[in-house]
């Protein structure tokens, strides 16, 4: 370890230091200065004017299945007039409080009301008709694990908290004999699919049912078939109140059925009423499962039975503080406070996306809808199953933060991927309730698994991992839908993914496939599979076949090998969510060779010109839209170029990396509802937040942390002192093991050298031991 510290001190302006090699806390916690805990620095309202569906879900536990949040709109999903976030800061009325806000997943909405029974929501933005209510902005409070608001129309104060699989509601009603809770399951919410009309099912919502179980309990279910999923899946809910119902009934849109026990179909909902003239508080616990009604009930009992609202809130806050506290910031300068808010809010989003979909006992619904069971270790599930958008681009953000700070989560998610591979024979691209979902034409599960193995090599069956990766990279015949790599046939046969005669097609995926092949080759080398490693390494040079010396860009090639003409580097054809100008820097596994293609002088000049031009528009578009900026020379609001500002390291100018990385942190990232993560941004389950976390720590690996000795680019951290509490490896997935504390320090008055500033990846966590010994060579495929 002394050698490691000497190396770090020599290479870093802001040296890393192991503070305590023997620290063995039961949980990693850190207390920011002045007694403020990490949760108190998070501002969930940042960026809520234009955000994704998961983005504003305050009443949630880390990686929670249940994410309870106020919905200001959302019935009908994307095509039904609802926007992508569910909650938008400028909206003036609340539709209700729903429980599911993950990728392609929404539903189970509760709404407390008073006055005459009304069972239609009314139009967005008003509350003169329908159950909607305007709300007091001054009454809103949101923090990780808790949300509060006052509904003006109904004079009801709402408080929300949650455990991993249970939402907990506390409503304080006025003195009235008509206190009511509506429970709506017959309308689609969020990202689930297309708009439903009248009494017929079309697209996303296939079935719905809600029924009274006893005088305190209602249970509900619905079947959703999102436009982005291979097969439908079920949601089951157990809704248990703290008081018996005075009256109850069902409804279908505007038609009511007093006293009815059960109702099914589109538009279905249920209402229960209470007398609150003497006791104003009504509480509801909502357990959710994707497996069964019994699973929903078990989740409710396991996570909340015998616990009060305040106890659940305190426990969830403690959980958030434990995970957020793995980074402790010590910087009392007033000018550092906005950056602290940005940092902890970004880290909150890192830990918020990719919620679990398995039950507390490890039960889950597999890709065919049958019940599966995660293996138990000491009576607890070895890992969890997760919902997730595709892993596209996560190697430059989420993968790195998870690998460094939360490797137990990295390992668990990798085991989930491999379990999906065992069940179906393929690694998934995106997935919702274990149903494959389309992401991109690539499938970057390879990159995730390579990074997970590097961080925790003893956790995996190497042969199984390799079989999954090899198949993902090479098998295109008989490949089913929604497993990505859709341009793999052309890439495999021609050595590049060709465009059509009009110049359109997946040429840009040549660059991604080449990087994936190189990452897979690193695993093959470690596993003693030399011929596989040689084959993949040779294929990883495919990027050279698209390089155009004249334009110094990657250029689409036709099937006959000729470049497409005419060629507009600023056009988006053949490149996914970007342009040739944005993709011209995309050779993560061999940046020195890319520099050589430009020549070092031209590379530095054009990279500087790109970033200087981007700085003029704050590194993103001027449009408040979550997919804007795709035609800019550099767009920080999307994944393809998130490494670009760090490439100055490879031109011998880490000082310019520092300059532009800091400028992005200050100008692109804001602290208001409108200017949060840029104006136009695509925050895929915490990816842009993760980039900010890495940038603030001053650490970035262009290769995505897929090999132990990768050169990690380093600049001084954004704060005077940061202390990282990092799990040692190896460890089990159910217990993170021992922790070490690593210090990042900003030297006052120092300026960064022009010399290369890199450190080997493995030095970022404490004493992982020697590199895993490669296994003896085995027969290649």
């Amino acid at each position: 370890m002394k050698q490691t510290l000497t190396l770090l001190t020599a290479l870093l302006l802001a040296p890393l230091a192991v503070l305590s090699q023997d620290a063995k806390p039961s949980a990693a916690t850190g207390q920011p200065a002045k007694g403020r805990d990490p949760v108190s620095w998070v501002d969930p309202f940042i960026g809520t004017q234009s955000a994704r569906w998961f983005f504003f879900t305050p009443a949630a536990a880390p990686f929670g299945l249940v994410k309870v949040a106020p919905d200001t709109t959302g019935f009908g999903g994307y095509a039904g007039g609802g926007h992508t976030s569910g909650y938008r800061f400028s909206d003036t009325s609340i539709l209700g409080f729903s429980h599911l806000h993950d990728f392609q997943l929404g539903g189970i909405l509760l709404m407390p009301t008073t006055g005459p029974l009304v069972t239609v929501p009314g139009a967005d933005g008003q509350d003169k008709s329908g159950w909607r209510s305007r709300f007091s902005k001054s009454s809103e409070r949101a923090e990780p694990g808790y949300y509060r608001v006052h509904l003006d129309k109904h004079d009801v104060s709402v408080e929300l908290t949650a455990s991993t699989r249970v939402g907990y509601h506390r409503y304080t009603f006025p003195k009235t004999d008509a206190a009511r809770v509506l429970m709506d399951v017959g309308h689609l919410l969020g990202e689930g699919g297309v708009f439903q009309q009248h009494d017929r099912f079309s697209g996303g919502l296939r079935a719905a049912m809600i029924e009274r179980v006893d005088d305190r309990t209602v249970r509900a279910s619905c079947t959703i078939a999102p436009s982005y999923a291979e097969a439908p899946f079920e949601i089951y809910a157990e809704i248990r109140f703290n008081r018996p119902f005075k009256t109850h009934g069902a409804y279908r849109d505007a038609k009511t059925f007093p006293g009815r026990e059960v109702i099914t179909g589109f538009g279905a909902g249920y209402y229960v009423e209470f007398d609150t003239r003497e006791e104003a508080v009504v509480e509801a616990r909502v357990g959710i499962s994707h497996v069964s009604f019994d699973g929903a009930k078990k989740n409710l009992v396991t996570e909340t039975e015998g616990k009060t609202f305040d106890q659940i809130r305190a426990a969830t806050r403690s959980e958030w503080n434990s995970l957020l506290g793995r980074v402790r910031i010590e910087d009392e300068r007033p000018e550092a406070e906005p950056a602290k808010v940005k940092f902890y809010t970004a880290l909150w989003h890192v830990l918020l996306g990719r919620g679990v979909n398995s039950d507390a006992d490890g039960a889950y619904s597999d890709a065919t809808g049958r019940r599966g069971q995660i293996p138990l270790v000491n009576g607890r599930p070895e890992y969890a199953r997760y919902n997730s958008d595709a892993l596209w681009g996560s190697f430059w953000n989420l993968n790195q933060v998870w690998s460094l700070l939360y490797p137990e989560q990295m390992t668990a998610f990798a085991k989930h991927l491999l379990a999906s591979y065992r069940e179906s024979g393929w690694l998934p691209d995106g997935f919702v309730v274990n149903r494959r979902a389309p992401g991109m034409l690539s499938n970057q599960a390879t990159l995730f698994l390579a990074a997970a193995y590097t961080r925790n090599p003893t956790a995996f069956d190497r042969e199984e991992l390799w079989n999954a990766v090899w198949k993902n990279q090479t098998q295109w015949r008989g490949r089913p839908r929604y497993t990505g790599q859709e341009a793999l046939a052309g890439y495999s046969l021609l050595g590049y993914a060709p465009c059509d005669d009009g110049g359109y097609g997946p040429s840009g995926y040549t660059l991604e496939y080449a990087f994936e092949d190189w990452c897979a080759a690193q695993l093959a080398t470690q596993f003693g599979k030399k011929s596989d490693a040689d084959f993949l390494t040779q294929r990883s040079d495919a990027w050279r076949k698209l390089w155009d010396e004249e334009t110094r860009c990657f250029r689409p090639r036709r099937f006959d090998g000729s470049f497409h003409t005419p060629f507009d580097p600023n056009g988006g054809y053949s490149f996914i969510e970007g342009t040739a100008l944005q993709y011209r820097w995309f050779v993560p596994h061999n940046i020195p060779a890319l520099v050589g293609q430009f020549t070092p002088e031209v590379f530095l000049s054009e990279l500087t010109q790109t970033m200087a031009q981007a700085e003029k528009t704050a590194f993103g578009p001027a449009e408040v839209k979550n997919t804007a900026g795709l035609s800019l020379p550099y767009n920080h609001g999307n994944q393809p170029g998130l490494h670009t500002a760090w490439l100055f390291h490879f031109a011998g100018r880490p000082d310019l990396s520092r300059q532009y990385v800091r400028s992005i942190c200050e100008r692109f990232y804001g602290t208001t509802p409108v200017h949060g993560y840029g104006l136009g941004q695509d925050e895929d389950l915490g990816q842009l937040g993760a980039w900010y976390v890495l940038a603030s720590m001053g650490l970035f690996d262009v290769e995505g942390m897929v090999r132990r000795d990768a050169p990690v680019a380093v600049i001084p951290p954004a704060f005077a002192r940061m202390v990282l509490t990092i799990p040692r490896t190896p460890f089990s997935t159910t217990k993170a093991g021992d922790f070490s504390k690593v210090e990042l320090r900003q030297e006052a008055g120092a300026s960064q050298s022009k010399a290369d500033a890199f450190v080997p990846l493995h030095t970022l966590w404490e004493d992982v031991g020697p590199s895993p010994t490669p296994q003896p060579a085995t027969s290649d495929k």
Side-chain angles (χ1 to χ4, degrees):
M1 182 52 67
K2 289 183 179 178
Q3 292 178 342
T4 298
L5 294 179
T6 301
L7 172 65
L8 291 169
T9 302
L11 291 180
L12 286 174
L13 172 67
L16 286 73
V18 175
L19 300 181
S20 174
Q21 295 185 22
D22 300 318
K24 297 181 180 181
S26 59
T29 59
Q31 295 299 321
K34 297 184 180 179
R36 293 184 65 177
D37 61 12
V39 163
S40 66
W41 288 103
V42 176
D43 183 356
F45 292 106
I46 287 176
T48 52
Q49 189 59 26
S50 175
R52 293 290 290 272
W53 178 239
F54 95 104
F55 193 81
F56 183 76
T57 52
F63 307 113
L65 164 62
V66 167
K67 293 179 171 68
V68 195
D71 295 307
T72 57
T73 189
F75 274 6
Y78 286 130
H83 53 72
T84 59
S85 66
Y87 176 94
R88 185 168 50 195
F89 188 82
S90 62
D91 288 345
T92 57
S93 71
I94 284 178
L95 168 72
F97 306 93
S98 68
H99 291 74
L100 301 169
H101 291 83
D102 256 319
F103 174 63
Q104 297 297 297
L105 189 60
I108 315 296
L109 180 138
L110 272 61
M111 180 65 173
T113 68
T114 58
L117 175 62
V118 178
T119 58
V120 291
D124 287 6
Q126 59 83 39
D127 64 2
K128 296 185 183 302
S129 64
W131 72 57
R132 278 182 170 276
S133 175
R134 293 186 182 273
F135 61 102
S136 302
K137 284 288 184 183
S138 61
S139 73
E140 277 195 301
R141 177 178 174 181
E143 64 184 38
Y146 178 75
Y147 175 79
R148 181 184 70 200
V149 72
H150 187 266
L151 302 177
D152 294 343
K153 177 177 180 177
H154 304 294
D155 192 22
V156 176
S157 292
V158 175
E159 295 176 276
L160 307 171
T161 191
S163 62
T164 301
R165 299 167 181 85
V166 182
Y168 207 143
H169 302 236
R170 182 160 66 187
Y171 308 134
T172 303
F173 284 92
K175 291 184 177 181
T176 177
D177 61 356
R180 184 181 307 105
V181 179
L182 300 169
M183 292 160 280
D184 198 290
V185 298
H187 295 89
L188 193 65
L189 282 167
E191 293 185 343
V194 299
F195 186 43
Q196 315 300 310
Q197 292 187 7
H198 307 299
D199 61 350
R200 66 183 176 87
F201 292 95
S202 114
L205 187 63
R206 295 290 178 84
M209 185 280 296
I210 187 165
E211 65 177 343
R212 189 179 77 97
V213 176
D214 56 40
D215 65 354
R216 293 172 183 253
T217 309
V218 172
R219 67 181 183 182
S221 68
C222 54
T223 301
I224 298 179
S227 55
Y228 264 57
E230 184 178 37
F233 56 85
E234 283 70 42
I235 301 167
Y236 301 92
E238 174 97 353
I239 307 170
R240 191 174 300 176
F241 291 85
N242 66 327
R243 299 167 57 182
F245 312 141
K246 185 185 76 168
T247 57
H248 61 271
Y251 66 85
R252 176 171 288 107
D253 291 328
K255 187 167 183 167
T256 61
F257 307 92
R260 187 163 173 174
E261 300 294 302
V262 62
I263 190 168
T264 62
F266 183 77
Y270 211 82
Y271 65 89
V272 294
E273 294 186 347
F274 306 87
D275 189 326
T276 59
R277 286 174 293 185
E278 299 297 331
E279 174 54 51
V281 175
V282 173
E283 294 182 346
R285 290 178 292 150
V286 183
I288 303 288
S289 170
H290 291 298
V291 180
S292 65
F293 285 119
D294 185 57
K297 184 177 181 179
K298 284 182 178 179
N299 288 339
L300 187 148
V301 170
T302 299
E303 296 185 359
T304 66
E305 190 71 13
K307 300 174 183 177
T308 67
F309 180 96
D310 292 329
Q311 287 172 330
I312 295 297
R313 178 187 174 189
T316 301
R317 183 184 179 99
S318 177
E319 188 177 1
W320 278 114
N321 273 324
S322 176
L323 293 178
L324 294 171
R326 290 198 185 173
V327 180
R328 188 176 78 238
I329 296 172
E330 296 180 0
D331 194 332
E332 299 307 309
R333 297 173 297 169
E335 60 268 27
E337 291 211 358
K340 288 183 190 178
V341 172
K342 292 181 189 179
F343 180 89
Y344 283 112
T345 303
L347 190 55
W348 172 62
H349 283 127
V350 167
L351 300 167
L352 188 63
R354 296 187 184 174
V356 302
N357 65 52
S358 50
D359 286 349
D361 63 1
Y364 66 93
S365 172
D366 72 10
T368 66
R370 294 174 298 194
R371 177 180 173 134
Q373 177 63 48
I374 298 167
L376 301 180
V377 177
N378 297 323
R380 299 176 57 189
E382 182 185 4
Y383 54 90
R385 307 289 291 239
Y386 297 88
N387 298 309
S388 178
D389 200 343
L391 297 169
W392 187 66
S394 64
F395 52 88
W396 281 332
N397 36 71
L398 277 174
N399 294 9
Q400 297 194 39
V401 176
W402 280 18
S403 180
L404 182 61
L405 295 174
Y406 310 103
E408 69 274 32
Q409 177 66 19
M410 188 89 173
T411 300
F413 197 92
K415 285 180 175 288
H416 156 64
L417 290 175
L418 290 171
S420 298
Y421 166 76
R422 282 194 298 274
E423 288 175 1
S424 69
W426 298 89
L427 288 171
D429 188 8
F431 26 89
V432 51
V433 194
N434 302 308
R435 277 66 166 175
R436 288 189 296 242
M440 299 297 183
L441 296 185
S442 57
N443 182 334
Q444 293 175 355
T446 289
L447 311 182
F448 190 95
L449 290 172
Y453 178 82
T454 294
R455 185 60 163 102
N456 194 15
T458 63
F460 303 100
D461 179 324
R462 293 184 179 186
E463 200 64 28
E464 178 186 60
L465 190 154
W466 178 246
N467 289 340
V469 165
W470 175 262
K471 189 172 186 179
N472 195 44
Q473 291 308 116
T474 62
Q475 185 62 50
W476 51 271
R477 293 181 178 88
R479 195 175 188 112
R481 289 185 68 197
Y482 300 163
T483 58
Q485 312 295 61
E486 294 179 30
L488 193 59
Y491 175 82
S492 300
L493 297 173
L494 299 176
Y496 62 92
C499 68
D500 62 21
D501 289 340
Y504 293 91
S507 289
Y509 280 102
T510 301
L511 310 178
E512 296 190 17
Y513 294 172
F515 179 39
E516 292 171 30
D517 279 345
W518 180 86
C519 293
Q522 309 313 300
L523 283 175
T525 298
Q526 293 181 77
F527 296 164
K529 298 180 181 294
K530 185 178 184 303
S531 64
D532 287 348
D534 291 345
F535 168 77
L536 292 164
T537 299
Q538 181 179 8
R539 246 187 15 170
S540 73
D541 263 351
W543 61 274
R544 297 179 187 272
K545 297 184 179 180
L546 295 189
W547 182 254
D548 177 23
E549 293 286 352
E550 180 181 351
T551 61
R552 290 192 292 273
C553 285
F554 296 105
R555 184 170 174 176
R557 281 190 184 273
R558 299 187 183 95
F559 284 87
D560 64 7
S562 63
F563 280 132
H564 172 69
T565 301
F567 172 59
D568 176 10
N570 203 41
Y573 53 78
S574 277
F575 294 92
I576 188 69
E577 296 192 11
T579 66
L581 284 179
Q582 293 174 2
Y583 271 90
R584 70 194 309 211
W585 317 105
F586 197 107
V587 189
H589 53 297
N590 202 347
I591 297 297
L594 180 64
V595 173
Q597 294 284 1
F598 279 89
T599 76
E601 297 77 16
V602 173
F603 181 88
L604 178 60
S605 173
E606 298 210 5
L607 182 62
T608 303
Q609 181 180 354
T610 295
M611 297 311 295
Q613 183 178 351
E615 192 171 36
K616 295 177 182 178
T617 59
F619 304 97
E623 182 181 5
V624 181
K625 182 181 178 183
N626 75 333
T627 56
L630 301 185
S631 62
L632 298 173
Y634 173 83
N635 174 31
H636 194 76
N638 216 328
Q639 287 88 338
L642 290 183
H643 67 312
T644 310
W646 294 91
L647 294 182
F648 291 102
H649 272 68
F650 295 87
R653 293 296 304 274
D655 57 311
L656 290 179
S657 290
R658 176 184 183 181
Q659 174 184 327
Y660 286 110
V661 167
R662 289 285 159 261
S663 185
I664 291 170
C665 288
E666 292 166 6
R667 303 191 64 186
F668 181 84
Y669 293 86
T671 57
T672 70
V674 173
H675 182 191
Y677 293 3
L679 297 178
Q681 51 79 25
D682 189 15
E683 170 66 328
D684 283 334
L685 300 179
Q687 291 200 39
L688 290 180
W691 190 96
Y692 186 90
V693 170
L694 291 166
S696 297
M697 295 189 298
L699 304 170
F700 192 86
D701 180 12
V702 169
E703 296 176 4
M705 296 191 176
V706 301
R707 63 185 179 105
R708 189 173 184 269
D709 294 319
V712 176
V714 181
I715 62 175
F719 302 96
R721 186 171 183 262
M722 304 176 77
V723 178
L724 314 184
T725 302
I726 298 179
R728 294 186 176 115
T729 52
F731 51 82
S732 73
T733 58
T734 54
K735 182 180 179 182
D738 297 339
F739 297 85
S740 297
K741 292 188 183 295
V742 173
E743 178 184 5
L744 306 171
R745 187 168 51 247
Q746 188 182 84
E747 299 269 342
S751 60
Q752 186 151 9
S753 167
K754 291 184 180 181
D756 289 340
F758 295 97
V759 296
L761 172 61
H762 67 88
T763 60
L764 298 180
W765 51 79
E766 203 280 315
D767 194 16
V768 296
S771 298
T773 303
Q775 293 182 338
T778 58
S779 58
D780 291 340
K781 296 173 181 54

